[in-house]
Amino acid sequence: MAAFKLPDLQKPIAAAIFGAASVATLVSILRLSRSSYNSKLLRRNIPSPCDTLIPFLSPRQAAALPYPPNFFPGARDVATPYGTMRVYEWGPEDGRKVMLVHGDTTPAPILGPIAEALVTRGCRVMIYDLWGRGYSDTPLDVPHDVKLFTMQFLFAAASSSLSWTGRASEGFSIIAFSLGGAITMSFAADFPYLINSIILLAPAGIIRKLPKEYETSFFRYPHLVPFSYLRRTVGKIVGVDLSPHPIDFTSRDEPDKPGPNVAQGAQAVEKAPLDVPAIVQWQFDNHRGFVHSFINTIQHGPLLHQHADWEKVCNVIKGDIAKTTPASRSSKLFNSKILVIFGDTDSIIVAKDVSEDLSKMIGGAEHVQFKLVPGGHGFPVPSSDEVVRHITEFWGLQATA
């Protein structure tokens, strides 16, 4: 008679124990991941130096920064669903309304000389810091795409005590540089009836290729790369010194007073002359969200392949009745002309390429005027006088007393 043999329970038990442990580990990991993900969503944005730096400085220290919070008159911080953004508005209230939009690296001050010259010619100007630049926060839960930048355009216009978008306003004009040019043309594709004239300075949007350093695979998969490496890569692209530049918070000259806010304006000392490299360095050192916004704009922003939007705007400008809506045909932009200015040595926005492609869409010299000024991609500052001269002639402006 065969002996009865108990079954070997060790392997099934071990397997069960191992399986249970694996499931428990997996559940724990998923919970931690979900918790981390939710915490990021709750944070929603990275605050700008307006919150992380300025409150800890005395008025004199803040005014001595390369980009002080009172750099322009009429400063205000506008709360939006995507964070707080910095807007400036000044000039005659009954003057021509002009919105200025800067590029992807340097915040609002790069267009300062142009804005200030327009005010002396009777214009009411508005200029703001794009997301993740200057004193505007960095949104974390949305891509830096044309939709986000279009919403920021509307937030800026709607924040004014004057009417910039209502029927009584008769629309506003736009001067836009680099990335700002691409944002403007995409904005105009959806809201042509809000605009009466467009001037583009070295516009992105339909350039044929990005600068080589923008095309690194690390920018396509930034979540797989240590932030320190990403920061170093962005720093090299924008041309800053990567060594630390700590601010001495112990040398506050008025320690009993809080740091200046927007409302305190120009109470401190006169601002230093415009120094674009120093502003870029200050932004890189002190805006914790700049690197994220810069990379995310390369990933999702309207730097390339915006031909469909540009063609829609060009159809309005050249007065193509068959390809435009009744609303766009009622705007001052309909059957008009735009001015495009390039730097003659700009290797990022190549004048020959962009002018050729834009001319094909807009139908020739009747609806577009091209101008070259001395300089590379940063020409709006060193060649600001010549840029202002072209703008003045194009719009028929006159200097006021």
Side-chain angles (χ1 to χ4, degrees):
M1 181 176 180
F4 176 75
K5 185 177 182 181
L6 291 172
D8 186 359
L9 298 179
Q10 291 182 340
K11 291 183 180 180
I13 292 174
I17 294 173
F18 179 78
S22 299
V23 170
T25 302
L26 179 59
V27 169
S28 298
I29 292 173
L30 289 175
R31 284 178 176 173
L32 288 172
S33 299
R34 185 174 181 179
S35 174
S36 175
Y37 177 74
N38 287 336
S39 68
K40 290 179 181 179
L41 285 183
L42 290 173
R43 193 151 56 102
R44 295 185 67 83
N45 61 63
I46 300 174
S48 79
C50 190
D51 292 325
T52 62
L53 174 65
I54 300 303
F56 305 99
L57 302 178
S58 71
R60 186 171 298 276
Q61 285 176 312
L65 294 172
Y67 181 11
N70 60 333
F71 192 91
F72 296 118
R76 59 179 177 265
D77 292 317
V78 180
T80 81
Y82 305 109
T84 300
M85 59 179 285
R86 170 59 59 88
V87 181
Y88 305 91
E89 181 183 359
W90 76 105
E93 292 190 0
D94 59 349
R96 179 184 193 133
K97 294 183 177 69
V98 182
M99 182 82 76
L100 296 98
V101 190
H102 67 81
D104 64 342
T105 299
T106 309
I110 193 170
L111 297 178
I114 298 172
E116 290 164 349
L118 290 175
V119 170
T120 67
R121 288 158 174 76
C123 295
R124 177 77 171 183
V125 301
M126 184 184 295
I127 185 169
Y128 61 93
D129 286 328
L130 293 174
W131 297 121
R133 283 84 173 176
Y135 289 108
S136 290
D137 293 349
T138 290
L140 289 176
D141 52 353
V142 289
H144 285 51
D145 59 10
V146 69
K147 292 180 286 187
L148 180 67
F149 288 121
T150 294
M151 288 301 299
Q152 188 178 23
F153 214 121
L154 291 172
F155 292 147
S159 70
S160 177
S161 60
L162 304 179
S163 175
W164 280 67
T165 59
R167 291 184 180 276
S169 70
E170 298 183 351
F172 55 90
S173 304
I174 304 174
I175 298 174
F177 169 59
S178 191
L179 169 64
I183 294 169
T184 292
M185 292 298 277
S186 292
F187 178 85
D190 292 319
F191 303 101
Y193 46 85
L194 298 180
I195 305 167
N196 54 43
S197 185
I198 294 175
I199 294 176
L200 303 175
L201 312 178
I206 59 170
I207 55 177
R208 296 178 182 176
K209 61 179 180 179
L210 288 172
K212 185 178 180 180
E213 55 269 26
Y214 281 42
E215 297 178 346
T216 171
S217 59
F218 297 127
F219 288 174
R220 291 196 292 272
Y221 309 102
H223 56 288
L224 300 178
V225 183
F227 178 77
S228 59
Y229 184 85
L230 294 174
R231 186 177 187 276
R232 188 161 60 249
T233 303
V234 171
K236 291 179 180 178
I237 291 174
V238 301
V240 298
D241 180 3
L242 298 174
S243 59
H245 299 86
I247 294 176
D248 183 8
F249 294 101
T250 64
S251 63
R252 287 169 58 104
D253 53 328
E254 300 178 42
D256 56 323
K257 295 184 180 181
N261 55 32
V262 171
Q264 289 177 304
Q267 72 168 20
V269 297
E270 185 176 349
K271 69 182 180 185
L274 176 61
D275 184 341
V276 173
I279 290 173
V280 174
Q281 182 72 60
W282 170 87
Q283 176 180 255
F284 183 80
D285 291 339
N286 295 285
H287 198 313
R288 299 173 185 174
F290 169 70
V291 171
H292 175 89
S293 288
F294 185 86
I295 295 174
N296 209 263
T297 301
I298 293 175
Q299 288 180 297
H300 305 288
L303 296 172
L304 291 169
H305 312 308
Q306 302 302 303
H307 296 75
D309 281 348
W310 284 57
E311 286 177 355
K312 286 176 66 176
V313 180
C314 288
N315 287 335
V316 176
I317 293 170
K318 65 185 180 183
D320 191 331
I321 295 176
K323 297 180 180 179
T324 51
T325 65
S328 62
R329 291 196 291 272
S330 66
S331 72
K332 292 186 177 180
L333 201 60
F334 186 77
N335 195 24
S336 63
K337 192 172 188 175
I338 66 171
L339 172 64
V340 187
I341 303 175
F342 300 99
D344 60 1
T345 60
D346 191 345
S347 60
I348 297 176
I349 309 296
V350 181
K352 180 177 179 296
D353 294 347
V354 176
S355 58
E356 282 181 0
D357 295 343
L358 179 55
S359 294
K360 293 175 184 177
M361 289 187 277
I362 209 166
E366 182 181 356
H367 297 289
V368 62
Q369 182 177 351
F370 297 111
K371 295 291 184 180
L372 283 175
V373 299
H377 193 56
F379 72 82
V381 172
S383 294
S384 60
D385 289 344
E386 192 163 350
V387 170
V388 170
R389 179 171 62 82
H390 289 311
I391 294 171
T392 300
E393 293 173 355
F394 186 71
W395 282 344
L397 303 175
Q398 292 183 346
T400 58

